[in-house]
Amino acid sequence: MGMYPGVLEPGSRGGLPLEEVTLAEVLAARGYLTGMAGKWHLGVGPEGAFLPPHQGFHRFLGIPYSHDQGPCQNMTCFPPTTPCDGICDQGRVPVPLLANLSVEAQPPWLPGLEAHYVAFARHLMADAQRQGRPFFLYYASHHTHYPQFSGQNFARRSGRGPFGDSLMELDAAVGALITALGDLGLLGETLVIFTADNGPETMRMSHGGCSGLLRCGKGTTFEGGVREPAVAFWPGHIAPGVTHELASSLDLLPTLAALAGAPLPNVTLDGVDLSPLLLGTGKSPRQTLFFYPASPDEIRGIFAVRSGKYKAHFFTQGSAHSDTTADPACHAASPLTAHEPPLLFDLSQDPGENYNLLGYAAQVTPEVLQAAKQLELLKAQFDAAMTFSPSQMARGEDPALQVCCRPGCSPWPSCCHCPEPQP
Protein backbone atom coordinates (compact mmCIF):
# COMPACT_ATOMS: atom_id res chain seq x y z
CA MET A 1 0.00 0.00 0.00
CA GLY A 2 3.03 2.27 -0.08
CA MET A 3 2.95 3.62 3.48
CA TYR A 4 6.71 4.16 3.74
CA PRO A 5 9.20 5.61 4.58
CA GLY A 6 8.36 7.32 7.87
CA VAL A 7 4.95 8.89 8.39
CA LEU A 8 2.59 11.20 6.54
CA GLU A 9 2.70 14.94 7.20
CA PRO A 10 -0.27 17.34 7.43
CA GLY A 11 0.24 18.45 3.83
CA SER A 12 1.15 15.09 2.32
CA ARG A 13 -0.27 14.38 -1.12
CA GLY A 14 -0.38 10.67 -0.39
CA GLY A 15 -2.47 8.51 1.88
CA LEU A 16 -3.99 5.08 2.30
CA PRO A 17 -4.98 4.19 -1.28
CA LEU A 18 -8.74 4.00 -1.68
CA GLU A 19 -8.45 0.65 -3.46
CA GLU A 20 -7.14 -0.90 -0.23
CA VAL A 21 -9.92 -2.67 1.69
CA THR A 22 -10.11 -1.66 5.33
CA LEU A 23 -11.57 -3.63 8.22
CA ALA A 24 -14.29 -0.99 8.45
CA GLU A 25 -15.27 -1.65 4.83
CA VAL A 26 -15.32 -5.42 5.41
CA LEU A 27 -17.65 -5.04 8.42
CA ALA A 28 -19.80 -2.25 6.95
CA ALA A 29 -20.65 -4.65 4.12
CA ARG A 30 -21.99 -7.02 6.79
CA GLY A 31 -24.32 -4.36 8.17
CA TYR A 32 -22.10 -3.03 10.96
CA LEU A 33 -22.34 0.59 12.06
CA THR A 34 -18.70 1.68 11.93
CA GLY A 35 -17.02 4.53 13.74
CA MET A 36 -13.58 5.81 14.57
CA ALA A 37 -12.39 8.12 17.34
CA GLY A 38 -8.88 9.49 17.72
CA LYS A 39 -5.72 9.55 15.63
CA TRP A 40 -6.06 8.61 11.94
CA HIS A 41 -2.63 9.32 10.38
CA LEU A 42 -3.33 7.60 7.07
CA GLY A 43 -3.59 10.75 5.02
CA VAL A 44 -5.94 13.67 4.39
CA GLY A 45 -5.61 14.38 0.67
CA PRO A 46 -7.55 16.77 -1.58
CA GLU A 47 -11.01 17.46 -0.14
CA GLY A 48 -10.27 14.90 2.58
CA ALA A 49 -10.11 12.06 0.06
CA PHE A 50 -8.14 9.73 2.37
CA LEU A 51 -10.05 10.41 5.59
CA PRO A 52 -12.09 7.72 7.44
CA PRO A 53 -15.48 8.61 5.88
CA HIS A 54 -13.98 7.51 2.54
CA GLN A 55 -12.42 4.36 4.05
CA GLY A 56 -15.48 2.54 5.39
CA PHE A 57 -16.26 4.52 8.56
CA HIS A 58 -19.79 5.89 8.87
CA ARG A 59 -18.69 8.26 11.64
CA PHE A 60 -15.36 9.88 12.53
CA LEU A 61 -14.24 12.18 15.31
CA GLY A 62 -10.54 12.80 15.59
CA ILE A 63 -7.28 14.45 14.59
CA PRO A 64 -6.06 13.31 11.16
CA TYR A 65 -2.45 12.83 12.29
CA SER A 66 -0.29 13.04 15.44
CA HIS A 67 -1.24 15.89 17.72
CA ASP A 68 2.37 17.12 17.81
CA GLN A 69 2.33 17.82 14.05
CA GLY A 70 1.41 21.44 14.61
CA PRO A 71 2.47 24.21 17.00
CA CYS A 72 1.64 23.51 20.62
CA GLN A 73 3.58 26.13 22.57
CA ASN A 74 0.41 28.15 23.24
CA MET A 75 -1.83 25.16 24.00
CA THR A 76 -2.96 23.91 27.40
CA CYS A 77 -2.28 20.24 28.08
CA PHE A 78 -3.30 20.02 31.74
CA PRO A 79 -6.00 22.16 33.35
CA PRO A 80 -6.34 24.79 34.39
CA THR A 81 -3.38 26.40 32.61
CA THR A 82 -0.39 24.02 32.42
CA PRO A 83 1.06 24.43 28.91
CA CYS A 84 2.10 21.57 26.69
CA ASP A 85 5.71 20.44 26.97
CA GLY A 86 7.85 21.70 24.09
CA ILE A 87 6.81 23.51 20.93
CA CYS A 88 5.96 20.57 18.60
CA ASP A 89 6.07 21.15 14.83
CA GLN A 90 6.29 24.75 13.63
CA GLY A 91 5.24 26.36 10.35
CA ARG A 92 2.08 24.28 10.08
CA VAL A 93 -1.59 24.82 10.79
CA PRO A 94 -2.82 24.17 14.32
CA VAL A 95 -3.95 20.56 14.68
CA PRO A 96 -7.61 20.23 13.66
CA LEU A 97 -10.32 18.17 15.32
CA LEU A 98 -12.57 16.76 12.59
CA ALA A 99 -16.14 15.55 12.81
CA ASN A 100 -16.41 13.44 9.67
CA LEU A 101 -15.09 15.87 7.02
CA SER A 102 -15.80 19.12 8.89
CA VAL A 103 -13.51 21.04 11.24
CA GLU A 104 -15.03 21.07 14.70
CA ALA A 105 -12.18 22.97 16.35
CA GLN A 106 -8.66 24.07 15.45
CA PRO A 107 -6.98 23.43 17.79
CA PRO A 108 -9.14 21.37 20.16
CA TRP A 109 -9.12 21.85 23.92
CA LEU A 110 -6.82 18.91 24.71
CA PRO A 111 -7.88 18.44 28.38
CA GLY A 112 -11.41 17.68 27.19
CA LEU A 113 -10.53 15.60 24.15
CA GLU A 114 -10.59 12.10 25.66
CA ALA A 115 -13.98 12.72 27.28
CA HIS A 116 -15.25 13.92 23.90
CA TYR A 117 -14.06 10.68 22.29
CA VAL A 118 -15.68 8.56 25.00
CA ALA A 119 -19.02 10.37 24.49
CA PHE A 120 -18.74 9.79 20.72
CA ALA A 121 -18.11 6.07 21.31
CA ARG A 122 -21.06 5.76 23.71
CA HIS A 123 -23.39 7.36 21.18
CA LEU A 124 -22.18 4.99 18.46
CA MET A 125 -22.87 1.95 20.64
CA ALA A 126 -26.28 3.19 21.73
CA ASP A 127 -27.30 4.12 18.19
CA ALA A 128 -26.27 0.71 16.88
CA GLN A 129 -28.35 -0.98 19.56
CA ARG A 130 -31.38 1.17 18.76
CA GLN A 131 -31.01 0.31 15.09
CA GLY A 132 -30.62 -3.39 15.86
CA ARG A 133 -27.19 -3.45 14.20
CA PRO A 134 -23.78 -4.69 15.30
CA PHE A 135 -21.09 -2.03 15.56
CA PHE A 136 -17.37 -1.69 14.96
CA LEU A 137 -15.50 0.97 16.93
CA TYR A 138 -11.86 1.81 16.24
CA TYR A 139 -10.77 3.85 19.26
CA ALA A 140 -7.28 5.25 18.58
CA SER A 141 -6.50 7.34 21.65
CA HIS A 142 -3.67 9.90 21.46
CA HIS A 143 -2.46 8.76 24.88
CA THR A 144 0.43 8.47 25.70
CA HIS A 145 1.96 10.19 22.66
CA TYR A 146 3.96 13.38 23.16
CA PRO A 147 2.90 15.97 24.27
CA GLN A 148 0.94 14.29 27.04
CA PHE A 149 -2.33 15.80 28.24
CA SER A 150 -5.29 14.86 30.44
CA GLY A 151 -8.50 16.17 31.92
CA GLN A 152 -8.97 17.68 35.36
CA ASN A 153 -9.66 14.36 37.08
CA PHE A 154 -6.22 13.02 36.18
CA ALA A 155 -3.90 16.02 36.16
CA ARG A 156 -1.17 15.64 38.77
CA ARG A 157 -2.85 12.51 40.17
CA SER A 158 -0.68 9.60 39.01
CA GLY A 159 2.60 10.26 40.78
CA ARG A 160 4.30 9.53 37.44
CA GLY A 161 4.14 13.03 35.99
CA PRO A 162 2.45 13.96 32.69
CA PHE A 163 3.03 10.50 31.18
CA GLY A 164 1.34 8.79 34.13
CA ASP A 165 -1.55 11.27 34.15
CA SER A 166 -2.29 10.65 30.48
CA LEU A 167 -2.01 6.90 31.02
CA MET A 168 -4.49 7.14 33.89
CA GLU A 169 -6.95 8.92 31.62
CA LEU A 170 -6.54 6.24 28.96
CA ASP A 171 -7.21 3.57 31.57
CA ALA A 172 -10.33 5.41 32.69
CA ALA A 173 -11.50 5.79 29.09
CA VAL A 174 -11.22 2.05 28.49
CA GLY A 175 -13.13 1.47 31.72
CA ALA A 176 -15.84 3.90 30.62
CA LEU A 177 -16.26 2.05 27.32
CA ILE A 178 -16.54 -1.31 29.10
CA THR A 179 -19.09 0.21 31.49
CA ALA A 180 -21.08 1.53 28.54
CA LEU A 181 -21.17 -1.95 27.02
CA GLY A 182 -22.44 -3.34 30.31
CA ASP A 183 -25.11 -0.65 30.60
CA LEU A 184 -26.34 -1.55 27.12
CA GLY A 185 -26.30 -5.27 27.90
CA LEU A 186 -23.72 -5.89 25.17
CA LEU A 187 -20.74 -7.28 27.10
CA GLY A 188 -21.37 -10.85 26.06
CA GLU A 189 -21.86 -9.83 22.43
CA THR A 190 -18.79 -7.61 22.03
CA LEU A 191 -15.16 -8.54 21.44
CA VAL A 192 -12.81 -5.90 22.87
CA ILE A 193 -9.19 -5.87 21.70
CA PHE A 194 -6.63 -3.56 23.29
CA THR A 195 -3.16 -3.14 21.78
CA ALA A 196 -0.62 -0.55 20.63
CA ASP A 197 1.36 0.34 17.51
CA ASN A 198 5.00 0.70 18.60
CA GLY A 199 7.35 0.76 21.54
CA PRO A 200 8.15 3.73 23.79
CA GLU A 201 9.79 6.88 22.48
CA THR A 202 12.67 6.75 24.92
CA MET A 203 14.29 9.91 23.52
CA ARG A 204 11.73 11.80 25.61
CA MET A 205 12.85 10.01 28.78
CA SER A 206 10.13 10.28 31.46
CA HIS A 207 7.78 11.74 28.84
CA GLY A 208 8.30 8.78 26.51
CA GLY A 209 7.60 5.57 28.40
CA CYS A 210 9.80 2.60 29.21
CA SER A 211 10.43 -0.71 27.45
CA GLY A 212 11.45 -2.51 30.64
CA LEU A 213 13.73 -5.45 29.97
CA LEU A 214 13.17 -5.23 26.21
CA ARG A 215 15.95 -3.74 24.10
CA CYS A 216 15.65 -0.25 22.59
CA GLY A 217 12.32 1.34 21.68
CA LYS A 218 10.39 3.07 18.91
CA GLY A 219 11.99 3.18 15.48
CA THR A 220 14.06 0.00 15.86
CA THR A 221 13.42 -3.65 15.06
CA PHE A 222 14.58 -4.80 18.49
CA GLU A 223 11.85 -6.12 20.77
CA GLY A 224 11.46 -2.81 22.59
CA GLY A 225 10.41 -1.24 19.29
CA VAL A 226 8.01 -3.88 18.01
CA ARG A 227 6.64 -6.01 20.86
CA GLU A 228 3.33 -4.68 22.17
CA PRO A 229 0.81 -5.51 24.87
CA ALA A 230 -2.41 -7.10 23.67
CA VAL A 231 -5.58 -7.95 25.57
CA ALA A 232 -8.66 -9.66 24.13
CA PHE A 233 -11.85 -9.56 26.23
CA TRP A 234 -15.10 -11.33 25.37
CA PRO A 235 -17.00 -12.72 28.39
CA GLY A 236 -18.45 -16.14 27.75
CA HIS A 237 -16.22 -16.73 24.73
CA ILE A 238 -12.60 -16.03 25.74
CA ALA A 239 -11.36 -17.80 28.87
CA PRO A 240 -9.23 -15.68 31.21
CA GLY A 241 -5.54 -16.42 30.94
CA VAL A 242 -2.23 -15.64 29.25
CA THR A 243 -0.87 -16.94 25.96
CA HIS A 244 2.64 -16.87 24.54
CA GLU A 245 1.51 -17.70 21.02
CA LEU A 246 2.61 -15.37 18.21
CA ALA A 247 0.15 -12.75 16.99
CA SER A 248 0.30 -9.51 15.02
CA SER A 249 -1.97 -6.54 14.44
CA LEU A 250 -1.90 -7.73 10.82
CA ASP A 251 -4.10 -10.59 12.04
CA LEU A 252 -6.97 -8.38 13.16
CA LEU A 253 -8.67 -8.09 9.76
CA PRO A 254 -8.81 -11.83 8.93
CA THR A 255 -9.70 -12.70 12.53
CA LEU A 256 -12.59 -10.26 12.84
CA ALA A 257 -13.79 -11.03 9.33
CA ALA A 258 -13.96 -14.73 10.26
CA LEU A 259 -15.86 -14.02 13.48
CA ALA A 260 -18.30 -11.75 11.62
CA GLY A 261 -18.80 -14.25 8.79
CA ALA A 262 -17.49 -11.70 6.28
CA PRO A 263 -15.62 -12.64 3.11
CA LEU A 264 -11.99 -11.57 2.87
CA PRO A 265 -10.93 -9.05 0.22
CA ASN A 266 -9.48 -10.58 -2.94
CA VAL A 267 -5.89 -9.62 -2.16
CA THR A 268 -2.89 -11.31 -0.58
CA LEU A 269 -3.06 -10.70 3.17
CA ASP A 270 -0.16 -10.89 5.60
CA GLY A 271 -2.50 -11.72 8.49
CA VAL A 272 -4.00 -14.99 9.71
CA ASP A 273 -7.23 -15.91 11.51
CA LEU A 274 -6.56 -16.01 15.25
CA SER A 275 -10.09 -17.04 16.24
CA PRO A 276 -9.04 -20.62 17.22
CA LEU A 277 -6.51 -19.13 19.65
CA LEU A 278 -9.00 -16.61 21.07
CA LEU A 279 -11.82 -19.12 21.46
CA GLY A 280 -9.61 -21.84 22.90
CA THR A 281 -10.17 -24.31 20.08
CA GLY A 282 -6.60 -24.36 18.77
CA LYS A 283 -3.23 -22.69 18.54
CA SER A 284 -2.21 -19.59 16.65
CA PRO A 285 -1.61 -20.38 12.99
CA ARG A 286 1.06 -17.67 12.98
CA GLN A 287 4.55 -19.13 13.18
CA THR A 288 6.63 -16.24 11.84
CA LEU A 289 6.94 -12.47 12.13
CA PHE A 290 8.82 -10.24 9.68
CA PHE A 291 10.19 -6.83 10.66
CA TYR A 292 10.86 -3.89 8.38
CA PRO A 293 12.69 -0.73 9.48
CA ALA A 294 11.05 2.70 9.37
CA SER A 295 12.59 3.32 5.94
CA PRO A 296 12.51 -0.02 4.08
CA ASP A 297 13.91 -0.72 0.63
CA GLU A 298 13.80 -3.63 -1.79
CA ILE A 299 17.56 -4.17 -1.75
CA ARG A 300 17.89 -5.00 1.94
CA GLY A 301 14.34 -6.21 2.46
CA ILE A 302 13.26 -7.16 5.95
CA PHE A 303 15.69 -6.43 8.78
CA ALA A 304 14.65 -9.21 11.16
CA VAL A 305 12.67 -12.46 11.23
CA ARG A 306 11.15 -14.37 14.10
CA SER A 307 10.13 -18.02 13.88
CA GLY A 308 8.89 -19.62 17.07
CA LYS A 309 11.24 -18.69 19.88
CA TYR A 310 14.14 -17.65 17.64
CA LYS A 311 14.70 -14.21 16.13
CA ALA A 312 17.44 -13.23 13.68
CA HIS A 313 18.61 -9.69 12.88
CA PHE A 314 20.13 -9.41 9.39
CA PHE A 315 20.40 -5.63 9.66
CA THR A 316 20.20 -3.28 12.62
CA GLN A 317 20.00 0.49 12.84
CA GLY A 318 19.47 2.91 15.69
CA SER A 319 16.78 5.57 15.82
CA ALA A 320 16.48 9.06 17.25
CA HIS A 321 13.23 7.87 18.84
CA SER A 322 15.31 5.47 20.96
CA ASP A 323 17.97 7.94 22.05
CA THR A 324 18.88 8.41 25.75
CA THR A 325 18.82 4.68 26.55
CA ALA A 326 21.94 3.11 28.05
CA ASP A 327 22.41 0.90 24.98
CA PRO A 328 24.27 2.76 22.20
CA ALA A 329 22.91 0.30 19.59
CA CYS A 330 19.53 1.97 20.05
CA HIS A 331 20.66 5.52 19.28
CA ALA A 332 20.45 7.47 16.03
CA ALA A 333 24.26 7.47 15.96
CA SER A 334 24.22 3.68 15.56
CA PRO A 335 24.58 3.22 11.77
CA LEU A 336 22.89 0.77 9.46
CA THR A 337 24.82 -2.45 10.01
CA ALA A 338 24.61 -5.72 8.10
CA HIS A 339 25.12 -8.92 10.10
CA GLU A 340 26.55 -11.99 8.39
CA PRO A 341 25.88 -14.33 10.06
CA PRO A 342 22.81 -12.69 11.60
CA LEU A 343 22.43 -11.86 15.27
CA LEU A 344 20.40 -14.75 16.68
CA PHE A 345 18.44 -14.69 19.94
CA ASP A 346 16.30 -17.19 21.82
CA LEU A 347 13.45 -14.92 22.95
CA SER A 348 12.01 -17.56 25.27
CA GLN A 349 15.11 -17.25 27.47
CA ASP A 350 16.46 -13.86 26.38
CA PRO A 351 13.62 -11.44 25.53
CA GLY A 352 16.07 -8.57 26.06
CA GLU A 353 18.16 -9.74 23.07
CA ASN A 354 21.38 -9.58 25.06
CA TYR A 355 23.09 -12.84 24.06
CA ASN A 356 23.79 -13.55 20.39
CA LEU A 357 23.73 -17.33 20.14
CA LEU A 358 26.05 -17.28 17.13
CA GLY A 359 28.56 -15.15 19.00
CA TYR A 360 29.43 -17.79 21.58
CA ALA A 361 30.96 -21.06 20.39
CA ALA A 362 29.44 -22.96 23.31
CA GLN A 363 25.95 -21.83 22.27
CA VAL A 364 26.23 -22.94 18.62
CA THR A 365 24.40 -26.25 18.90
CA PRO A 366 22.91 -28.17 15.95
CA GLU A 367 19.50 -26.75 16.92
CA VAL A 368 20.85 -23.20 16.83
CA LEU A 369 22.49 -23.74 13.43
CA GLN A 370 19.25 -25.19 12.05
CA ALA A 371 17.29 -22.22 13.40
CA ALA A 372 19.70 -19.78 11.73
CA LYS A 373 19.39 -21.60 8.40
CA GLN A 374 15.62 -21.64 8.62
CA LEU A 375 15.46 -17.92 9.38
CA GLU A 376 17.79 -17.12 6.49
CA LEU A 377 15.55 -19.15 4.18
CA LEU A 378 12.42 -17.43 5.48
CA LYS A 379 13.96 -14.02 4.80
CA ALA A 380 14.99 -15.01 1.29
CA GLN A 381 11.54 -16.39 0.48
CA PHE A 382 9.72 -13.38 1.92
CA ASP A 383 11.92 -10.82 0.16
CA ALA A 384 11.60 -12.65 -3.16
CA ALA A 385 7.81 -12.69 -2.94
CA MET A 386 7.43 -9.04 -1.86
CA THR A 387 6.48 -6.32 -4.33
CA PHE A 388 6.82 -2.74 -3.10
CA SER A 389 3.97 -0.42 -3.97
CA PRO A 390 4.94 3.14 -4.91
CA SER A 391 5.68 5.18 -1.80
CA GLN A 392 2.84 7.46 -0.74
CA MET A 393 5.33 9.62 1.17
CA ALA A 394 7.37 10.10 -1.99
CA ARG A 395 4.44 11.97 -3.53
CA GLY A 396 5.61 14.92 -1.50
CA GLU A 397 3.72 17.70 0.24
CA ASP A 398 1.46 20.57 -0.73
CA PRO A 399 0.91 23.11 2.06
CA ALA A 400 -2.50 23.92 0.58
CA LEU A 401 -3.68 20.40 1.51
CA GLN A 402 -3.41 21.19 5.23
CA VAL A 403 -6.83 21.33 6.88
CA CYS A 404 -7.88 24.90 7.68
CA CYS A 405 -11.07 26.07 9.38
CA ARG A 406 -10.79 29.40 7.51
CA PRO A 407 -9.87 28.53 3.91
CA GLY A 408 -8.00 31.28 2.10
CA CYS A 409 -7.19 33.24 5.26
CA SER A 410 -3.97 35.04 6.08
CA PRO A 411 -1.41 35.14 7.53
CA TRP A 412 -1.01 31.47 6.70
CA PRO A 413 -0.84 29.09 8.53
CA SER A 414 -1.46 30.71 11.93
CA CYS A 415 -4.77 32.20 10.72
CA CYS A 416 -6.29 28.70 10.73
CA HIS A 417 -7.38 29.30 14.29
CA CYS A 418 -10.88 28.35 15.44
CA PRO A 419 -10.20 27.16 18.99
CA GLU A 420 -12.63 25.07 20.97
CA PRO A 421 -14.22 27.03 23.85
CA GLN A 422 -12.71 26.17 27.20
CA PRO A 423 -15.08 25.00 29.93
Side-chain angles (χ1 to χ4, degrees), residues 255-281:
T255 300
L256 296 180
L259 291 170
L264 292 175
N266 188 28
V267 294
T268 299
L269 294 174
D270 294 307
V272 297
D273 175 14
L274 295 176
S275 58
L277 174 65
L278 294 177
L279 301 177
T281 61

Side-chain angles (χ1 to χ4, degrees), residues 345-388:
F345 301 101
D346 178 352
L347 296 182
S348 69
Q349 298 182 20
D350 178 26
E353 296 171 291
N354 294 306
Y355 310 110
N356 174 21
L357 296 177
L358 297 179
Y360 302 90
Q363 299 288 336
V364 185
T365 64
E367 178 184 333
V368 166
L369 287 174
Q370 180 58 35
K373 290 180 180 179
Q374 181 193 20
L375 290 163
E376 288 174 344
L377 178 60
L378 287 169
K379 172 176 167 55
Q381 292 173 333
F382 186 91
D383 287 341
M386 177 58 63
T387 300
F388 275 54

Side-chain angles (χ1 to χ4, degrees), residues 318-364:
S319 170
H321 295 294
S322 285
D323 277 347
T324 77
T325 62
D327 185 348
C330 307
H331 303 168
S334 180
L336 171 63
T337 304
H339 300 282
E340 178 57 47
L343 307 179
L344 182 66
F345 301 101
D346 178 352
L347 296 182
S348 69
Q349 298 182 20
D350 178 26
E353 296 171 291
N354 294 306
Y355 310 110
N356 174 21
L357 296 177
L358 297 179
Y360 302 90
Q363 299 288 336
V364 185

